[in-house]
Amino acid sequence: MNDVAHTDTSGLSHVFSAALARADQWRELNALARAWADQRAASEHGERYRTQCRTLLGRITRLEFCWAYPGTRLLSALDAALDAGDASAFARLVQRISSTLLSGDYRRDDQAWDLAGDGDGTLLDTAPPDVTGSAQRPYFEVLIVTPTDPSTWMRAGEEMRRLRRPDDPFQYATVHVGSFEDAALAAMVNSNIQSVILVDGFQYASRHQIPDLKAYLARHIQIDQSAAGPGALSTRLARGLRNFRPELDLFLLTDRSPELLAGSDDAAPVRRVFHHVEEPMELHLALLDGIKDRYETPYFDNLKKYATRPIGTFHALPIARGKSVFSSNWIRDMGTFYGTNILFAESSATTGGLDSLLEPTGNIKKMMEATARAFGAKRAYLGTNGTSTSNKIVVQAICKPGDIVVVDRNCHKSHHYGFVLGGAQPYYVEAFPLTQYSMYGAVPLRTIKQALLNCKAEGKLDRVKVIDMTNCTFDGHMYNPKRVMEECLAIKPDLVFLWDEAWFGFARFSPFHRRRTAMGAAAALSEKYRSEAYREQYKAWKAKHADVDDKELLETHCLPDPDKVRIRVYQTNSTHKSMSAFRQGSMMLVWDDDFHKVEGPFEEAFFAHTSTSPNLQLIASLDLARRQMELEGYALTIQMTDLALRLRKTINTHPLISKYFKVATPEDMIPAEFRQSGLTDYGPPNASWAETLEAWDEDEFALDPTRLTLVCGSAGFDGTQFKGMLAERFDIQINKTSRNSILVQTNINNTHSDAALLIKALADMSREIEARLSDGGESGQAQFASRVKSLMTDVPDLPNFSRFHDAFRDDAKGTSNEGHMRPAFFMAYDEDNCEFVRLNSDEIDRRLKDGPPMVSANFVIPYPPGFPIMVPGQVISDDTIAYMRKLDVKEIHGYHAAQGIKMLKPDVLANWSASATQ
């Protein structure tokens, strides 16, 4: 991102978020205005500051028509003070506007809209909301796209203002524009806009002179001026806005036959069609009703009502109503700490409006429907034991024993345990390695297709049921799900896809990230395959590849048959990881054309893994997380991404910090062969944002900018050590580490102050390293260099999955590597079937050389990096042992150094193999 002192929305192609750049510019103008006021107005310095203020205000006002506040009257007052040379008045007005924008007081206090700022009630032409006596009413803005003369807009705004009533649950202000381009720009930059009124007849081109406007709009909305017919621009804009910000309520006012238009496909994105403005109060009520639909939290609302009722509890939950706590002599502090509401809103009953998570018929059912709508799914289910359990539910629901699942070996352990429980056979495929950081990336599409073609060649393709991948990965590698699913469906048109988006739930609400999501891809492909244009495209592709063989299929961008293809997509997300939900809150999102075939098994799996006593507060938090993201997720995800981009640039360009620390770039994290665009890093001067988004659309993999791999090995710190230092010295909490890096995640909770805390910590440590190297002489410098070399250069190779032992394979000679992991897992339950061999013993080396093969009896998962380097039934290879011997982490699940590696005995395997073939 640009530095604050050089933020310039006159060049939109250089700006990630024009809204955040605008806030920076107002603060910059505030500083300049104060400097001008501090100088004598007629002095040389005073005139220079005045000129700078005029230039910057000109840049700011180019986009101010997109927001209701501060409005034209306050801006005119600023111009007047500037023209009159009244530095004091100009500085006061700028300070007031800047601080109001920062605090958001314009949402709550109508005095912020007064011209004089003294509460004289002077109303602005932007029709400020009525907030007197109701400061808690949520505020939003309504975009009105109209062909009427701008001179009438103030009167129109006042007419809408007069429709408002004291008991309205929400308050709004209006923003008027007169063209397609201005409307699209306003919807992009102004996150306060929640509703759009489209009045037929507006023009296409902007009324404003804004450099790079068309390029900025083209990032997210297809620009086409060839729309023909009356009202075509209205419906085209509606479709564009629906794709860009699907949460918006769209209303169409037309003098055409509204009855006919309302039933046409053109009106599909529109919430309601009105016959021009014949019913203004109905329009006002429709605006409020649209917000109410998103604001309503069925479960949370009922839980609040339940908590206020006088209830006698004769069920098995003593903590409910809090009597056992507040009357206690020993745990009364529990009630003091948690408060009364959390205890009054507890119950083990499913009556009284609370509904049942296992058999929802009331408010939980409504909540699930709202969740599906918000996340772009056909169905949604709620998880209360984290996405670990959600993954097991989905795996068990869509797989039966013997089904083959093509799966990333480095996916979360819950998937592997799901295969054990369900009896599915994993076909492990490898992600590309990032050896220098001791981590893996994601699985190349070619690798996935090769696995499918291997199964096809061996007559097993009918058994391949699922493609199971992690998107995005812990370290930020985003797949191109649309392309992956399209090419795999060309090989097997009924494949089911499970995308573990545990860390990526927020992405639905970011137009930048949405293109890389499972549900976004499912919707896009579903629409694509229903179109006549695709049928023609497929017909041409089929004619060109009529005699295509498997080798050519591997090298070709394949297209599926529209008459055979089924869109069957499941997405799990850890709502608590990226949204405002309590820990273990999760969601399962479904877009499955054949869900009727698995609805019964899905319910059974849901029953099997879901507690009959789910935490009510957790369910309510999922309801609230959905509400927040539908109403302000767009703003929050843009802000968190912008903050991450600023952190990246600040760290990597800081003259001192960058000597010892670095945030890995897309070029560092994704090999060139998977970055067909050649994108190396985000933002100018590396690439324009239009080029960046084009890369996100086309490249095989992209890197989520909100996940920052901060390399600390060059500072002499391993990841675990550095994580501890940040926590102990600077109160900075980090989740994941690698051998020489930590993962810094920005989310909707982070602020600029958080970013400043991290930068200050890195700067302080960099200064300490400088001082230590200066004082340590050649010996100290050599020791430091040796430490850095051991962390950054002498890194262990990453082991790939070897193979399942022949005892657990149906065809030991086949090229596909699927295996029966379930019997291997349960064989280890009998200790007589197992042996332990110390990692550094000669026995390990002898058996690697001469045999018999060593076969893992359980999962072995080092943290970090957190992927299983051994699974039950896997033959242990040289590179796995070499990797384990070089590991310097303390936490390895499934391995105890005092015992050694747990293996299945060779004679047990021989007997199993013999009995299995009889």
Side-chain angles (χ1 to χ4, degrees):
M1 290 301 295
N2 298 317
D3 295 332
V4 170
H6 299 92
T7 305
D8 182 4
T9 52
S10 65
L12 287 173
S13 62
H14 297 293
V15 176
F16 172 73
S17 168
L20 296 168
R22 173 211 188 204
D24 288 343
Q25 287 181 322
W26 274 108
R27 288 192 285 272
E28 184 183 347
L29 183 60
N30 188 29
L32 284 173
R34 289 200 310 269
W36 180 31
D38 289 342
Q39 298 289 328
R40 289 173 51 196
S43 69
E44 178 182 347
H45 290 300
E47 190 58 34
R48 177 164 58 87
Y49 283 126
R50 181 184 182 185
T51 300
Q52 291 177 346
C53 286
R54 187 182 301 279
T55 300
L56 184 53
L57 181 61
R59 292 175 184 168
I60 292 173
T61 53
R62 284 173 174 164
L63 297 187
E64 282 303 310
F65 71 87
C66 296
W67 289 272
Y69 184 86
T72 55
R73 191 167 300 184
L74 277 176
L75 293 175
S76 296
L78 278 177
D79 282 332
L82 193 60
D83 291 340
D86 190 342
S88 178
F90 183 82
R92 285 198 305 272
L93 274 171
V94 171
Q95 193 279 331
R96 179 175 153 213
I97 293 171
S98 178
S99 62
T100 299
L101 288 172
L102 185 63
S103 66
D105 282 346
Y106 66 91
R107 296 168 171 267
R108 300 176 289 272
D109 184 1
D110 56 2
Q111 292 189 21
W113 301 75
D114 293 344
L115 183 58
D118 57 3
D120 65 358
T122 305
L123 298 177
L124 307 186
D125 54 353
T126 45
D130 292 308
V131 295
T132 305
S134 185
Q136 299 304 314
R137 285 190 294 174
Y139 165 93
F140 67 102
E141 294 179 7
V142 178
L143 177 65
I144 302 176
V145 195
T146 175
T148 60
D149 190 277
S151 64
T152 67
W153 292 352
M154 181 173 72
R155 185 175 70 251
E158 284 299 316
E159 289 174 355
M160 292 201 70
R161 176 184 173 82
R162 285 192 289 270
L163 296 172
R164 302 168 197 164
R165 305 165 301 167
D167 57 346
D168 284 344
F170 313 106
Q171 54 191 343
Y172 62 86
T174 55
V175 177
H176 283 76
V177 297
S179 72
F180 182 110
E181 289 184 332
D182 290 340
L185 179 63
M188 284 186 180
V189 302
N190 184 357
S191 60
N192 287 330
I193 291 173
Q194 295 291 338
S195 304
V196 182
I197 299 173
L198 305 168
V199 184
D200 258 354
F202 53 82
Q203 65 186 39
Y204 179 82
S206 172
R207 299 170 182 261
H208 305 273
Q209 295 298 318
I210 304 173
D212 298 340
L213 173 61
K214 286 180 170 53
Y216 187 77
L217 299 181
R219 295 183 190 180
H220 300 291
I221 293 181
Q222 291 185 353
I223 305 299
D224 182 2
Q225 300 185 52
S226 63
L233 273 182
S234 296
T235 53
R236 180 153 296 175
L237 178 58
R239 287 195 297 273
L241 294 177
R242 172 65 67 214
N243 289 332
F244 176 68
R245 289 185 59 183
E247 79 278 8
L248 292 177
D249 292 316
L250 307 177
F251 301 91
L252 178 59
L253 273 61
T254 180
D255 55 6
R256 294 179 286 160
S257 300
E259 303 87 355
L260 296 177
L261 181 60
S264 69
D265 291 341
D266 286 342
V270 176
R271 182 179 178 92
R272 185 169 174 183
V273 178
F274 288 92
H275 187 232
H276 223 279
V277 288
E278 66 178 5
E279 298 177 284
M281 178 54 75
E282 287 299 315
L283 177 59
H284 168 73
L285 295 176
L287 290 169
L288 299 180
D289 191 57
I291 301 299
K292 177 177 173 291
D293 278 354
R294 284 181 276 158
Y295 187 82
E296 187 178 51
T297 43
Y299 191 78
F300 178 65
D301 294 343
N302 273 286
L303 196 59
K304 287 192 295 182
K305 292 177 183 177
Y306 174 83
T308 63
R309 294 169 58 190
I311 293 175
T313 57
F314 292 91
H315 53 65
L317 195 66
I319 202 172
R321 317 304 292 179
K323 298 171 188 176
S324 67
V325 174
F326 294 115
S327 63
S328 170
N329 293 321
W330 298 99
I331 63 168
R332 197 174 301 165
D333 55 337
M334 178 183 179
T336 302
F337 182 77
Y338 287 109
T340 58
N341 283 344
I342 197 169
L343 301 176
F344 274 62
E346 270 294 359
S347 176
S348 66
T350 57
T351 56
L354 294 180
D355 206 1
S356 167
L357 182 62
L358 296 178
E359 291 285 353
T361 57
N363 51 73
I364 289 183
K365 182 180 179 182
K366 291 180 181 178
M367 176 185 168
M368 291 163 60
E369 292 168 351
T371 300
R373 176 194 69 214
F375 286 85
K378 289 189 174 182
R379 292 173 179 259
Y381 291 83
L382 310 176
T384 56
N385 194 30
T387 301
S388 295
T389 295
S390 294
N391 287 330
K392 294 170 191 171
I393 290 172
V394 176
V395 167
Q396 187 168 325
I398 59 180
C399 298
K400 60 182 183 297
D403 283 346
I404 296 174
V405 180
V406 178
V407 58
D408 180 2
R409 188 275 307 254
N410 308 297
C411 66
H412 189 268
K413 64 180 182 179
S414 57
H415 296 262
H416 305 276
Y417 282 111
F419 305 143
V420 169
L421 293 173
Q425 296 183 44
Y427 184 146
Y428 286 120
V429 286
E430 294 291 345
F432 62 81
L434 293 167
T435 307
Q436 67 272 34
Y437 304 127
S438 294
M439 65 178 69
Y440 282 91
V443 181
L445 175 56
R446 180 188 175 90
T447 302
I448 300 171
K449 289 172 64 177
Q450 184 66 71
L452 293 175
L453 294 173
N454 287 346
C455 290
K456 179 184 175 185
E458 295 174 16
K460 303 175 184 175
L461 190 59
D462 62 309
R463 289 176 49 208
V464 179
K465 186 70 173 291
V466 181
I467 306 292
D468 186 350
M469 299 289 149
T470 304
N471 181 50
C472 72
T473 67
F474 208 154
D475 301 292
H477 295 96
M478 300 183 294
Y479 283 84
N480 191 333
K482 188 161 59 173
R483 182 178 171 191
V484 170
M485 292 195 289
E486 179 161 273
E487 295 215 41
C488 291
L489 288 170
I491 299 172
K492 190 172 192 290
D494 62 345
L495 276 171
V496 182
F497 296 87
L498 169 54
W499 295 97
D500 181 346
E501 299 192 358
W503 307 94
F504 211 44
F506 74 90
R508 163 68 182 177
F509 305 95
S510 164
F512 301 92
H513 291 84
R514 188 184 306 127
R515 67 196 70 223
R516 291 267 171 174
T517 64
M519 289 297 110
L525 292 178
S526 182
E527 181 179 7
K528 177 179 179 178
Y529 297 150
R530 288 198 306 266
S531 70
E532 286 301 319
Y534 177 76
R535 287 188 172 275
E536 293 302 316
Q537 181 187 7
Y538 175 74
K539 188 184 299 183
W541 180 87
K542 189 67 175 176
K544 183 178 179 180
H545 300 88
D547 300 318
V548 63
D549 58 16
D550 286 356
K551 183 178 180 181
E552 188 177 351
L553 273 176
L554 186 62
E555 306 296 338
T556 303
H557 186 140
C558 307
L559 297 180
D561 185 339
D563 291 325
K564 296 179 180 179
V565 69
R566 310 295 292 167
I567 305 300
R568 309 193 63 190
V569 185
Y570 292 76
Q571 173 198 326
T572 56
N573 84 60
S574 294
T575 317
H576 68 99
K577 284 186 169 72
S578 64
M579 290 167 269
S580 301
F582 287 137
R583 192 167 180 85
Q584 295 191 336
S586 177
M587 294 174 179
M588 290 154 276
L589 307 176
V590 181
W591 187 302
D592 188 347
D593 291 345
D594 293 331
F595 189 72
H596 58 279
K597 297 180 179 179
V598 296
E599 185 170 9
F602 194 99
E603 289 185 351
E604 287 295 336
F606 191 81
F607 294 156
H609 293 281
T610 301
S611 171
T612 54
S613 302
N615 185 284
L616 307 191
Q617 318 311 320
L618 198 159
I619 299 173
S621 77
L622 289 172
D623 208 4
L624 289 163
R626 188 273 315 155
R627 178 213 282 179
Q628 180 182 38
M629 297 307 286
E630 264 200 301
L631 288 164
E632 57 183 341
Y634 173 69
L636 293 172
T637 55
I638 297 299
Q639 289 169 15
M640 66 183 264
T641 306
D642 180 78
L643 188 66
L645 292 166
R646 293 179 186 229
L647 271 172
R648 285 175 173 274
K649 182 173 182 180
T650 301
I651 293 170
N652 287 350
T653 60
H654 192 283
L656 177 58
I657 295 175
S658 61
K659 291 174 65 174
Y660 302 104
F661 301 96
K662 178 188 179 182
V663 176
T665 65
E667 183 178 27
D668 298 323
M669 296 289 283
I670 302 174
E673 63 190 286
F674 306 122
R675 282 182 294 108
Q676 293 84 347
S677 66
L679 180 76
T680 58
D681 202 358
Y682 292 120
N686 306 289
S688 71
W689 288 110
E691 291 169 336
T692 299
L693 293 183
E694 184 178 351
W696 279 29
D697 282 330
E698 302 300 331
D699 285 356
E700 182 165 349
F701 298 111
L703 184 68
D704 177 7
T706 70
R707 309 184 73 75
L708 294 78
T709 295
L710 178 57
V711 181
C712 54
S714 299
F717 305 124
D718 64 59
T720 303
Q721 177 188 12
F722 190 52
K723 172 184 175 181
M725 291 176 62
L726 288 175
E728 293 167 12
R729 291 186 53 191
F730 301 99
D731 292 325
I732 295 174
Q733 294 184 337
I734 296 295
N735 189 221
K736 178 188 179 292
T737 67
S738 78
R739 179 183 180 86
N740 51 28
S741 72
I742 62 170
L743 181 68
V744 176
Q745 302 169 239
T746 60
N747 56 50
I748 65 172
N749 186 59
N750 288 126
T751 64
H752 288 285
S753 297
D754 294 331
L757 177 63
L758 177 61
I759 295 297
K760 180 68 165 59
L762 296 178
D764 286 350
M765 284 189 278
S766 297
R767 282 188 284 267
E768 292 171 4
I769 295 171
E770 291 271 281
R772 191 165 62 249
L773 291 176
S774 176
D775 295 341
E778 292 184 4
S779 174
Q781 293 171 13
Q783 187 177 11
F784 178 79
S786 176
R787 172 65 172 165
V788 171
K789 182 175 182 293
S790 70
L791 290 170
M792 300 297 296
T793 305
D794 299 337
V795 293
D797 289 333
L798 295 170
N800 286 334
F801 178 79
S802 53
R803 62 182 178 87
F804 283 105
H805 189 272
D806 291 350
F808 306 111
R809 300 189 65 195
D810 293 326
D811 180 7
K813 296 181 180 180
T815 56
S816 60
N817 77 359
E818 77 280 356
H820 294 275
M821 190 162 59
R822 179 184 174 92
F825 179 88
F826 285 107
M827 283 173 68
Y829 273 42
D830 186 344
E831 288 294 329
D832 292 339
N833 293 334
C834 301
E835 61 179 337
F836 291 89
V837 181
R838 296 284 187 88
L839 178 62
N840 293 313
S841 67
D842 294 337
E843 175 70 6
I844 290 272
D845 297 317
R846 184 190 65 77
R847 288 182 62 172
L848 284 172
K849 180 181 179 181
D850 302 323
M854 296 179 292
V855 178
S856 179
N858 59 354
F859 292 102
V860 176
I861 307 173
Y863 277 83
F867 59 82
I869 58 174
M870 300 181 198
V871 303
Q874 177 185 343
V875 175
I876 301 172
S877 58
D878 296 32
D879 57 352
T880 301
I881 295 299
Y883 180 79
M884 282 195 72
R885 286 173 172 173
K886 289 185 179 181
L887 276 176
D888 54 2
V889 300
K890 297 179 180 178
E891 185 178 354
I892 305 178
H893 297 181
Y895 169 74
H896 303 282
Q899 289 182 304
I901 301 172
K902 188 176 184 180
M903 305 182 211
L904 296 173
K905 292 178 179 177
D907 60 324
V908 172
L909 291 170
N911 291 334
W912 169 263
S913 180
S915 62
T917 56
Q918 290 178 354

